[in-house]
Amino acid sequence: MPFPIKKCAVCGEEFELKPDKPGFANRCPECTAEEQEAAAEAAKKTGMDADQRREKSEMDAARRDTIRNMLYRKDS
């Protein structure tokens, strides 16, 4: 059974819609790959500064303490 032919919403090219194709069903594999690369670059650029890292570390420590207290507290 052949795969359905779709038209890309971005570039207008026709492509076969295969079952395990990553991305959206209305975009060709080339446009999907470009979008994923752009998203990966944007994720790399959004780094954390020292204050954000310290706040995250403090929140994680508080979360660990709370979970530890909930798990190991002794009920009288």
Side-chain angles (χ1 to χ4, degrees), residues 47-58:
M48 295 190 317
D49 62 355
D51 291 333
Q52 290 173 333
R53 284 192 298 271
R54 182 175 40 82
E55 289 173 4
K56 185 175 184 324
S57 175
E58 290 172 357

Side-chain angles (χ1 to χ4, degrees), residues 19-68:
D20 292 329
K21 180 187 120 11
F24 296 107
N26 63 348
R27 295 188 184 167
C28 65
E30 290 84 19
C31 291
T32 301
E34 290 172 7
E35 181 180 325
Q36 288 176 346
E37 290 171 4
E41 286 182 27
K44 287 180 184 177
K45 290 182 183 178
T46 58
M48 295 190 317
D49 62 355
D51 291 333
Q52 290 173 333
R53 284 192 298 271
R54 182 175 40 82
E55 289 173 4
K56 185 175 184 324
S57 175
E58 290 172 357
M59 286 187 344
D60 289 342
R63 187 177 298 118
R64 284 192 303 271
D65 289 340
T66 302
I67 291 172
R68 188 178 303 121

Side-chain angles (χ1 to χ4, degrees), residues 3-18 21-32:
F3 297 115
I5 304 293
K6 294 283 191 168
K7 189 171 183 179
C8 179
V10 178
C11 66
E13 271 188 50
E14 290 186 347
F15 66 97
E16 288 185 341
L17 182 61
K18 296 183 180 179
K21 180 187 120 11
F24 296 107
N26 63 348
R27 295 188 184 167
C28 65
E30 290 84 19
C31 291
T32 301

